[in-house]
Amino acid sequence: MATSAFLFALVKTLTPDEIRRIRLDASQHIIGSKNRYLLLFEYLVKLPKSYEYNEDEVKAALAEEISPRQFSQIKNYLDTFVSKSLRIHRGSKNKSDQVRERIDEARIMFDRGLYDQCAKRLHQSKRDAYELELWHELLIICELERRNMGSLGTKDIRQIASELSDEICAVHDRMTNLHYYASLYDQVYAIVRCSFDDTREGDVMLVKDLILDKRMHNINKAKSLHAQKFFCKIRAQAAMLFKEYEEACDWYARLVELWQGNPQHSKESPRGYIIVVTDYAGFCLRVGRYEEFAAAVYSLQKIAVPTARDAAELFQNVAHLKLLGALNLPKLEDRAHVISELDEGLKLHLAGMNPARVLALYHNAMMLLFLSGDFRSAINWNVLIISERKSSARRDIIVFAHLLELVLHYEAGDHDLIERLYRNNRRFITQYEKLNDYERELLNLMRRLPALIDKSKFHGALKQLRGTIASLLASGMRDRLGLEELWCWLESRISSRPIAEVYRELKQENRNP
């Protein structure tokens, strides 16, 4: 993203309530009859999220109010003003923020010679910092206590100094221990993320060597709750790399227990807790632990969130899991209810959601309807994806939507649209990537299908593409978006069975190879 577009990107993340507060703050700083940085703010707010920021266009639109010479200065001021307003009006401040504020207050009291008040604030801050494992803040508190101890008039300064020295050493030891597990997690996570596209034997061996360290043999080697969380995540990520999904699920279950056993940590970082429970539910679904999956989704819905942005994060995770559950559970959930919940939730939370996650929800809703045979409704969700064709988020979803659009309209009986869709969608896809074999074969098949009246030729064409996709799945491309679903559609057409039945059989085979 160009530097000039940073302010626009920030403005597009604002909620209606945040926009209202910024307007109120700006109204208190009007110079003359106009507030030029507010004029720029209002213009940026009105631009659609899909707008590709062009600073020259913005300058031209506001040329009468803001001269080109002053534009850069006003833009920088607005960026600072928006950031300051967000900082001041943050939602309910958590305990970590309160600790840092009391540390600042203690500094002020010390500078003004109010040493007893300084000590009182430091004592309160230290208690909460230990509870939340704020090691960096604890070092600052200990340093302020060391500076303050000579001004309190206490007799046992030597003993206090010795205790503070021991405490600082203990905090340093905890920080070193936490740093080891955090650093190791970063290494393992990076390897696992890269392995999604290409699992290399060398990477697998490297992770095995990393977790052979004696500090990874026992969770009690991790000396703090945060370190133990990293321990569990390291073991879960390693198990994923080794394709030991049951073990990965067990480690995520342990991780959820750590969060649930320390409610203050969950309250301090609701988004982190949401992510952990979501990952755990996803693994439960993957390995067939359906009761645990349902319990995890239920507990996820009960998490209290302090801000609208956290509420949007919670909604998209719950909606994602419910869609996956409807796709994968042995008995199909109430499809209409799941889709209705998603539709209503999007109306409430869409503004605060990540565009990539929105596209993923559209895709999963569309696939649920496609696999259920409701092609007309699936088209409606597919249209939402295609309308975001200019978005840079999740190009894989957008490209696949253009491929599947032909299948959906063919199944819905819109055969007269196929030729036009073939030309338009092929042109769109080739703008962004070279067509691979299966994409080219699928497009050509969909172009020919409406004219294939002879049943043997019809099945022959389907079997040829099914064979191509089957070879790709067998070669390790099972995680490529949409391949399995397309194979299921072809198989259902050839065997005259519902797509959902074929899909569930395939998922069962994947769980029990």
Side-chain angles (χ1 to χ4, degrees):
M1 181 188 296
T3 305
S4 59
F6 286 168
L7 174 60
F8 175 68
L10 173 61
V11 170
K12 291 295 103 178
T13 67
L14 299 175
T15 64
D17 192 46
E18 290 167 341
I19 292 171
R20 180 184 63 81
R21 285 199 294 257
I22 289 170
R23 285 170 176 157
L24 286 173
D25 290 343
S27 67
Q28 300 173 26
H29 302 88
I30 294 178
I31 301 172
S33 60
K34 290 184 179 180
N35 189 327
R36 288 178 295 176
Y37 69 85
L38 187 58
L39 289 173
L40 175 58
F41 176 73
E42 294 292 356
Y43 183 81
L44 294 177
V45 166
K46 291 176 182 176
L47 291 174
K49 281 190 175 183
S50 58
Y51 175 73
E52 189 170 342
Y53 183 77
N54 186 316
E55 191 155 298
D56 291 335
E57 289 181 4
V58 178
K59 285 180 180 178
L62 297 173
E64 293 184 8
E65 290 85 5
I66 303 173
S67 70
R69 281 186 177 184
Q70 295 176 318
F71 186 86
S72 180
Q73 179 185 355
I74 290 172
K75 184 185 70 175
N76 291 336
Y77 183 84
L78 177 59
D79 182 74
T80 303
F81 186 84
V82 170
S83 300
K84 183 178 179 181
S85 179
L86 291 174
R87 187 173 65 252
I88 293 172
H89 297 294
R90 285 176 65 183
S92 55
K93 292 183 179 178
N94 57 30
K95 215 169 184 179
S96 301
D97 293 329
Q98 293 169 12
V99 168
R100 297 179 187 103
E101 284 183 355
R102 282 200 298 267
I103 291 173
D104 289 338
E105 291 169 4
R107 283 197 183 99
I108 294 170
M109 296 300 113
F110 180 83
D111 291 340
R112 293 175 178 271
L114 303 174
Y115 304 118
D116 289 334
Q117 289 92 324
C118 174
K120 180 180 178 181
R121 283 168 172 78
L122 290 175
H123 176 73
Q124 294 171 334
S125 301
K126 180 180 279 189
R127 179 193 61 208
D128 292 338
Y130 269 113
E131 181 185 2
L132 299 173
E133 298 184 351
L134 303 175
W135 307 120
H136 182 261
E137 285 76 6
L138 277 166
L139 289 178
I140 297 172
I141 291 168
C142 289
E143 175 60 23
L144 287 171
E145 285 182 330
R146 186 187 65 76
R147 292 170 60 192
N148 196 45
M149 66 182 180
S151 308
L152 293 175
T154 54
K155 296 180 180 179
D156 299 328
I157 291 180
R158 181 178 297 178
Q159 182 182 348
I160 293 172
S162 176
E163 290 174 354
L164 274 175
S165 178
D166 292 341
E167 186 174 11
I168 290 170
C169 288
V171 171
H172 271 297
D173 180 57
R174 295 291 182 90
M175 289 181 71
T176 302
N177 181 263
L178 176 60
H179 174 73
Y180 165 77
Y181 288 103
S183 177
L184 183 57
Y185 171 73
D186 289 341
Q187 294 179 62
V188 174
Y189 178 75
I191 291 171
V192 172
R193 290 291 297 177
C194 292
S195 73
F196 287 165
D197 297 322
D198 181 21
T199 303
R200 300 174 183 173
E201 186 62 30
D203 290 339
V204 174
M205 295 305 299
L206 177 58
V207 172
K208 285 183 178 179
D209 290 341
L210 288 172
I211 63 174
L212 281 175
D213 188 294
K214 62 182 180 181
R215 285 171 287 188
M216 287 303 302
H217 292 175
N218 189 332
I219 194 171
N220 293 324
K221 296 287 185 180
K223 298 179 181 180
S224 64
L225 178 63
H226 283 123
Q228 290 181 354
K229 290 176 183 176
F230 278 120
F231 183 100
C232 292
K233 289 196 284 188
I234 292 165
R235 297 306 300 259
Q237 291 288 324
M240 283 175 60
L241 184 65
F242 306 150
K243 302 190 185 307
E244 297 169 352
Y245 300 117
E246 287 280 358
E247 183 179 342
C249 191
D250 290 337
W251 280 112
Y252 266 106
R254 182 76 178 272
L255 184 58
V256 171
E257 288 175 6
L258 289 175
W259 278 91
Q260 291 177 341
N262 296 269
Q264 186 59 48
H265 283 242
S266 307
K267 187 177 179 181
E268 283 293 302
S269 180
R271 191 167 294 195
Y273 183 39
I274 289 168
I275 292 170
V276 166
V277 178
T278 302
D279 289 343
Y280 169 56
F283 272 105
C284 288
L285 191 60
R286 182 165 193 163
V287 299
R289 299 183 185 179
Y290 300 125
E291 291 184 3
E292 291 179 45
F293 168 78
V297 173
Y298 178 78
S299 66
L300 195 61
Q301 292 175 286
K302 295 297 181 182
I303 296 175
V305 289
T307 67
R309 206 169 302 284
D310 289 329
E313 175 79 16
L314 179 60
F315 159 73
Q316 65 191 19
N317 285 23
V318 171
H320 172 71
L321 289 170
K322 285 189 172 183
L323 286 167
L324 290 181
L327 282 165
N328 292 281
L329 289 174
K331 292 185 178 180
L332 185 65
E333 288 188 13
D334 184 355
R335 184 187 73 234
H337 179 66
V338 172
I339 296 296
S340 175
E341 275 190 346
L342 174 62
D343 200 26
E344 291 299 318
L346 284 170
K347 292 175 184 176
L348 290 173
H349 302 293
L350 186 60
M353 291 173 63
N354 183 306
R357 296 297 301 275
V358 173
L359 285 170
L361 288 176
Y362 289 166
H363 171 80
N364 287 335
M366 181 263 293
M367 293 310 299
L368 173 59
L369 294 163
F370 170 66
L371 294 171
S372 303
D374 189 352
F375 304 112
R376 189 61 64 187
S377 297
I379 288 172
N380 295 334
W381 288 92
N382 202 55
V383 166
L384 294 176
I385 301 173
I386 291 175
S387 66
E388 299 292 331
R389 65 175 65 199
K390 292 184 179 179
S391 171
S392 59
R394 294 304 303 267
R395 298 302 308 174
D396 58 334
I397 288 179
I398 295 172
V399 168
F400 179 74
H402 283 78
L403 286 171
L404 195 68
E405 187 178 27
L406 280 81
V407 177
L408 292 172
H409 280 285
Y410 173 80
E411 290 290 1
D414 304 328
H415 296 175
D416 54 321
L417 298 177
I418 298 298
E419 181 64 29
R420 180 175 59 82
L421 290 173
Y422 167 82
R423 291 195 303 271
N424 293 345
N425 293 3
R426 184 187 178 95
R427 187 184 309 117
F428 171 81
I429 295 168
T430 52
Q431 286 177 351
Y432 293 95
E433 61 178 37
K434 183 180 179 181
L435 284 174
N436 58 44
D437 290 342
Y438 107 84
E439 290 173 339
R440 187 180 298 105
E441 196 170 332
L442 174 62
L443 286 170
N444 290 334
L445 170 68
M446 295 315 303
R447 188 184 193 185
R448 291 162 47 214
L449 272 190
L452 290 178
I453 301 173
D454 185 277
K455 193 171 183 179
S456 62
K457 289 182 179 180
F458 179 84
H459 281 183
L462 294 177
K463 287 177 181 178
Q464 183 178 341
L465 178 58
R466 183 186 63 176
T468 301
I469 294 177
S471 63
L472 291 174
L473 293 173
S475 66
M477 294 183 67
R478 191 171 294 278
D479 291 332
R480 187 179 178 93
L481 186 74
L483 266 186
E484 286 191 341
E485 289 81 358
L486 283 173
W487 184 92
C488 292
W489 168 67
L490 292 164
E491 179 64 26
S492 74
R493 267 291 186 170
I494 294 166
S495 61
S496 301
R497 290 189 295 156
I499 309 177
E501 180 183 323
V502 177
Y503 180 77
R504 291 216 171 83
E505 283 182 7
L506 179 64
K507 287 296 180 183
Q508 189 64 32
E509 288 173 8
N510 291 344
R511 281 191 288 268
N512 303 297

